[in-house]
mmCIF file of all heavy atoms in Angstrom:
data_model
loop_
_atom_site.group_PDB
_atom_site.id
_atom_site.type_symbol
_atom_site.label_atom_id
_atom_site.label_comp_id
_atom_site.label_asym_id
_atom_site.label_seq_id
_atom_site.Cartn_x
_atom_site.Cartn_y
_atom_site.Cartn_z
ATOM 1 N N LEU R 81 -39.290 -48.132 -81.816
ATOM 2 C CA LEU R 81 -39.987 -49.424 -81.803
ATOM 3 C C LEU R 81 -39.247 -50.497 -81.011
ATOM 4 O O LEU R 81 -39.865 -51.308 -80.334
ATOM 5 C CB LEU R 81 -40.184 -49.931 -83.240
ATOM 6 C CG LEU R 81 -41.250 -49.231 -84.073
ATOM 7 C CD1 LEU R 81 -41.183 -49.729 -85.503
ATOM 8 C CD2 LEU R 81 -42.635 -49.475 -83.487
ATOM 9 N N VAL R 82 -37.932 -50.518 -81.146
ATOM 10 C CA VAL R 82 -37.165 -51.592 -80.499
ATOM 11 C C VAL R 82 -35.997 -51.003 -79.732
ATOM 12 O O VAL R 82 -35.378 -50.041 -80.181
ATOM 13 C CB VAL R 82 -36.648 -52.629 -81.534
ATOM 14 C CG1 VAL R 82 -37.806 -53.253 -82.275
ATOM 15 C CG2 VAL R 82 -35.682 -52.019 -82.521
ATOM 16 N N ASN R 83 -35.714 -51.581 -78.581
ATOM 17 C CA ASN R 83 -34.584 -51.057 -77.821
ATOM 18 C C ASN R 83 -33.405 -52.015 -77.798
ATOM 19 O O ASN R 83 -32.476 -51.849 -77.044
ATOM 20 C CB ASN R 83 -35.018 -50.677 -76.394
ATOM 21 C CG ASN R 83 -35.819 -51.789 -75.761
ATOM 22 O OD1 ASN R 83 -35.781 -52.925 -76.249
ATOM 23 N ND2 ASN R 83 -36.555 -51.479 -74.696
ATOM 24 N N SER R 84 -33.493 -53.040 -78.651
ATOM 25 C CA SER R 84 -32.336 -53.926 -78.761
ATOM 26 C C SER R 84 -31.930 -53.975 -80.227
ATOM 27 O O SER R 84 -32.747 -53.732 -81.104
ATOM 28 C CB SER R 84 -32.690 -55.325 -78.256
ATOM 29 O OG SER R 84 -33.818 -55.818 -78.946
ATOM 30 N N PRO R 85 -30.658 -54.269 -80.485
ATOM 31 C CA PRO R 85 -30.210 -54.267 -81.882
ATOM 32 C C PRO R 85 -30.920 -55.344 -82.699
ATOM 33 O O PRO R 85 -31.173 -56.448 -82.207
ATOM 34 C CB PRO R 85 -28.710 -54.561 -81.775
ATOM 35 C CG PRO R 85 -28.495 -55.099 -80.415
ATOM 36 C CD PRO R 85 -29.600 -54.615 -79.548
ATOM 37 N N ALA R 86 -31.254 -55.023 -83.932
ATOM 38 C CA ALA R 86 -31.944 -55.961 -84.793
ATOM 39 C C ALA R 86 -30.954 -56.639 -85.722
ATOM 40 O O ALA R 86 -30.159 -55.974 -86.369
ATOM 41 C CB ALA R 86 -33.014 -55.224 -85.601
ATOM 42 N N ALA R 87 -30.994 -57.982 -85.758
ATOM 43 C CA ALA R 87 -30.109 -58.728 -86.643
ATOM 44 C C ALA R 87 -30.879 -59.132 -87.896
ATOM 45 O O ALA R 87 -32.038 -59.528 -87.802
ATOM 46 C CB ALA R 87 -29.594 -59.967 -85.922
ATOM 47 N N GLU R 88 -30.228 -59.000 -89.061
ATOM 48 C CA GLU R 88 -30.889 -59.446 -90.290
ATOM 49 C C GLU R 88 -31.052 -60.957 -90.234
ATOM 50 O O GLU R 88 -30.134 -61.672 -89.835
ATOM 51 C CB GLU R 88 -30.077 -59.024 -91.525
ATOM 52 C CG GLU R 88 -30.183 -57.536 -91.757
ATOM 53 C CD GLU R 88 -30.130 -57.148 -93.244
ATOM 54 O OE1 GLU R 88 -30.654 -57.906 -94.086
ATOM 55 O OE2 GLU R 88 -29.559 -56.084 -93.528
ATOM 56 N N SER R 89 -32.234 -61.422 -90.602
ATOM 57 C CA SER R 89 -32.535 -62.840 -90.463
ATOM 58 C C SER R 89 -33.116 -63.392 -91.749
ATOM 59 O O SER R 89 -34.059 -62.834 -92.306
ATOM 60 C CB SER R 89 -33.542 -63.030 -89.323
ATOM 61 O OG SER R 89 -34.121 -64.309 -89.408
ATOM 62 N N PRO R 90 -32.533 -64.525 -92.234
ATOM 63 C CA PRO R 90 -33.087 -65.141 -93.445
ATOM 64 C C PRO R 90 -34.462 -65.773 -93.188
ATOM 65 O O PRO R 90 -35.148 -66.163 -94.133
ATOM 66 C CB PRO R 90 -32.051 -66.204 -93.805
ATOM 67 C CG PRO R 90 -31.329 -66.487 -92.534
ATOM 68 C CD PRO R 90 -31.378 -65.238 -91.706
ATOM 69 N N GLU R 91 -34.842 -65.889 -91.920
ATOM 70 C CA GLU R 91 -36.139 -66.490 -91.592
ATOM 71 C C GLU R 91 -37.296 -65.527 -91.838
ATOM 72 O O GLU R 91 -38.458 -65.912 -91.775
ATOM 73 C CB GLU R 91 -36.171 -66.919 -90.115
ATOM 74 C CG GLU R 91 -34.966 -67.732 -89.655
ATOM 75 C CD GLU R 91 -34.852 -69.049 -90.393
ATOM 76 O OE1 GLU R 91 -35.856 -69.755 -90.468
ATOM 77 O OE2 GLU R 91 -33.761 -69.340 -90.917
ATOM 78 N N VAL R 92 -36.974 -64.252 -92.023
ATOM 79 C CA VAL R 92 -38.021 -63.256 -92.285
ATOM 80 C C VAL R 92 -38.022 -62.967 -93.787
ATOM 81 O O VAL R 92 -37.012 -62.539 -94.341
ATOM 82 C CB VAL R 92 -37.780 -61.961 -91.493
ATOM 83 C CG1 VAL R 92 -38.844 -60.923 -91.831
ATOM 84 C CG2 VAL R 92 -37.752 -62.242 -89.991
ATOM 85 N N VAL R 93 -39.138 -63.244 -94.431
ATOM 86 C CA VAL R 93 -39.225 -63.103 -95.882
ATOM 87 C C VAL R 93 -40.243 -62.013 -96.237
ATOM 88 O O VAL R 93 -41.367 -62.022 -95.741
ATOM 89 C CB VAL R 93 -39.646 -64.444 -96.535
ATOM 90 C CG1 VAL R 93 -39.760 -64.300 -98.054
ATOM 91 C CG2 VAL R 93 -38.655 -65.539 -96.172
ATOM 92 N N ILE R 94 -39.788 -61.066 -97.064
ATOM 93 C CA ILE R 94 -40.695 -60.018 -97.541
ATOM 94 C C ILE R 94 -41.177 -60.431 -98.925
ATOM 95 O O ILE R 94 -40.370 -60.649 -99.832
ATOM 96 C CB ILE R 94 -39.973 -58.654 -97.606
ATOM 97 C CG1 ILE R 94 -39.445 -58.264 -96.215
ATOM 98 C CG2 ILE R 94 -40.915 -57.577 -98.153
ATOM 99 C CD1 ILE R 94 -38.622 -56.989 -96.212
ATOM 100 N N VAL R 95 -42.481 -60.547 -99.069
ATOM 101 C CA VAL R 95 -43.063 -60.943 -100.358
ATOM 102 C C VAL R 95 -43.594 -59.671 -101.011
ATOM 103 O O VAL R 95 -44.633 -59.142 -100.626
ATOM 104 C CB VAL R 95 -44.192 -61.967 -100.155
ATOM 105 C CG1 VAL R 95 -44.716 -62.453 -101.497
ATOM 106 C CG2 VAL R 95 -43.721 -63.126 -99.297
ATOM 107 N N ALA R 96 -42.840 -59.158 -101.985
ATOM 108 C CA ALA R 96 -43.226 -57.902 -102.628
ATOM 109 C C ALA R 96 -42.582 -57.858 -104.006
ATOM 110 O O ALA R 96 -41.567 -58.522 -104.240
ATOM 111 C CB ALA R 96 -42.753 -56.715 -101.782
ATOM 112 N N PRO R 97 -43.147 -57.088 -104.919
ATOM 113 C CA PRO R 97 -42.558 -57.011 -106.253
ATOM 114 C C PRO R 97 -41.241 -56.229 -106.208
ATOM 115 O O PRO R 97 -41.041 -55.404 -105.318
ATOM 116 C CB PRO R 97 -43.615 -56.231 -107.045
ATOM 117 C CG PRO R 97 -44.319 -55.411 -106.025
ATOM 118 C CD PRO R 97 -44.329 -56.224 -104.768
ATOM 119 N N GLU R 98 -40.342 -56.488 -107.184
ATOM 120 C CA GLU R 98 -39.105 -55.707 -107.226
ATOM 121 C C GLU R 98 -39.356 -54.337 -107.825
ATOM 122 O O GLU R 98 -38.666 -53.377 -107.504
ATOM 123 C CB GLU R 98 -38.045 -56.467 -108.025
ATOM 124 C CG GLU R 98 -37.601 -57.662 -107.214
ATOM 125 C CD GLU R 98 -36.459 -58.435 -107.813
ATOM 126 O OE1 GLU R 98 -35.950 -58.014 -108.865
ATOM 127 O OE2 GLU R 98 -36.111 -59.462 -107.213
ATOM 128 N N ILE R 99 -40.332 -54.277 -108.714
ATOM 129 C CA ILE R 99 -40.695 -52.994 -109.314
ATOM 130 C C ILE R 99 -42.186 -52.757 -109.089
ATOM 131 O O ILE R 99 -43.014 -53.615 -109.413
ATOM 132 C CB ILE R 99 -40.396 -52.993 -110.827
ATOM 133 C CG1 ILE R 99 -38.893 -53.211 -111.058
ATOM 134 C CG2 ILE R 99 -40.855 -51.692 -111.468
ATOM 135 C CD1 ILE R 99 -38.505 -53.365 -112.510
ATOM 136 N N ALA R 100 -42.503 -51.621 -108.511
ATOM 137 C CA ALA R 100 -43.908 -51.258 -108.315
ATOM 138 C C ALA R 100 -44.206 -50.083 -109.231
ATOM 139 O O ALA R 100 -43.598 -49.026 -109.107
ATOM 140 C CB ALA R 100 -44.165 -50.890 -106.863
ATOM 141 N N GLU R 101 -45.130 -50.290 -110.169
ATOM 142 C CA GLU R 101 -45.428 -49.201 -111.094
ATOM 143 C C GLU R 101 -46.128 -48.061 -110.392
ATOM 144 O O GLU R 101 -45.883 -46.897 -110.669
ATOM 145 C CB GLU R 101 -46.301 -49.723 -112.237
ATOM 146 C CG GLU R 101 -45.464 -50.332 -113.338
ATOM 147 C CD GLU R 101 -46.313 -50.772 -114.505
ATOM 148 O OE1 GLU R 101 -47.393 -50.183 -114.707
ATOM 149 O OE2 GLU R 101 -45.890 -51.702 -115.199
ATOM 150 N N ASN R 102 -46.988 -48.405 -109.454
ATOM 151 C CA ASN R 102 -47.770 -47.390 -108.760
ATOM 152 C C ASN R 102 -47.412 -47.393 -107.276
ATOM 153 O O ASN R 102 -47.763 -48.314 -106.550
ATOM 154 C CB ASN R 102 -49.262 -47.686 -108.961
ATOM 155 C CG ASN R 102 -50.136 -46.625 -108.326
ATOM 156 O OD1 ASN R 102 -49.633 -45.682 -107.699
ATOM 157 N ND2 ASN R 102 -51.428 -46.776 -108.482
ATOM 158 N N GLY R 103 -46.703 -46.354 -106.847
ATOM 159 C CA GLY R 103 -46.276 -46.273 -105.451
ATOM 160 C C GLY R 103 -47.417 -46.143 -104.468
ATOM 161 O O GLY R 103 -47.233 -46.309 -103.265
ATOM 162 N N ALA R 104 -48.617 -45.845 -104.967
ATOM 163 C CA ALA R 104 -49.764 -45.693 -104.064
ATOM 164 C C ALA R 104 -50.286 -47.041 -103.575
ATOM 165 O O ALA R 104 -50.970 -47.116 -102.563
ATOM 166 C CB ALA R 104 -50.891 -44.925 -104.749
ATOM 167 N N VAL R 105 -49.974 -48.096 -104.330
ATOM 168 C CA VAL R 105 -50.496 -49.421 -103.995
ATOM 169 C C VAL R 105 -49.392 -50.452 -104.213
ATOM 170 O O VAL R 105 -49.266 -51.030 -105.278
ATOM 171 C CB VAL R 105 -51.712 -49.793 -104.876
ATOM 172 C CG1 VAL R 105 -52.423 -51.017 -104.309
ATOM 173 C CG2 VAL R 105 -52.697 -48.646 -104.975
ATOM 174 N N VAL R 106 -48.581 -50.666 -103.174
ATOM 175 C CA VAL R 106 -47.499 -51.634 -103.267
ATOM 176 C C VAL R 106 -47.833 -52.807 -102.347
ATOM 177 O O VAL R 106 -47.885 -52.646 -101.122
ATOM 178 C CB VAL R 106 -46.146 -51.018 -102.841
ATOM 179 C CG1 VAL R 106 -45.024 -52.030 -103.018
ATOM 180 C CG2 VAL R 106 -45.859 -49.738 -103.615
ATOM 181 N N PRO R 107 -48.092 -53.989 -102.931
ATOM 182 C CA PRO R 107 -48.419 -55.130 -102.065
ATOM 183 C C PRO R 107 -47.178 -55.597 -101.299
ATOM 184 O O PRO R 107 -46.122 -55.822 -101.898
ATOM 185 C CB PRO R 107 -48.901 -56.202 -103.052
ATOM 186 C CG PRO R 107 -48.411 -55.782 -104.396
ATOM 187 C CD PRO R 107 -48.117 -54.326 -104.365
ATOM 188 N N VAL R 108 -47.311 -55.704 -99.979
ATOM 189 C CA VAL R 108 -46.195 -56.177 -99.154
ATOM 190 C C VAL R 108 -46.705 -57.282 -98.244
ATOM 191 O O VAL R 108 -47.635 -57.072 -97.453
ATOM 192 C CB VAL R 108 -45.589 -55.034 -98.304
ATOM 193 C CG1 VAL R 108 -44.509 -55.579 -97.369
ATOM 194 C CG2 VAL R 108 -44.995 -53.951 -99.196
ATOM 195 N N GLY R 109 -46.106 -58.461 -98.382
ATOM 196 C CA GLY R 109 -46.440 -59.569 -97.495
ATOM 197 C C GLY R 109 -45.224 -59.899 -96.642
ATOM 198 O O GLY R 109 -44.083 -59.685 -97.062
#
Side-chain angles (χ1 to χ4, degrees):
Chain R
L81 286 173
V82 300
N83 48 17
S84 55
E88 288 213 35
S89 164
E91 311 297 311
V92 177
V93 179
I94 301 175
V95 184
E98 289 186 3
I99 299 174
E101 275 183 27
N102 183 358
V105 193
V106 183
V108 175

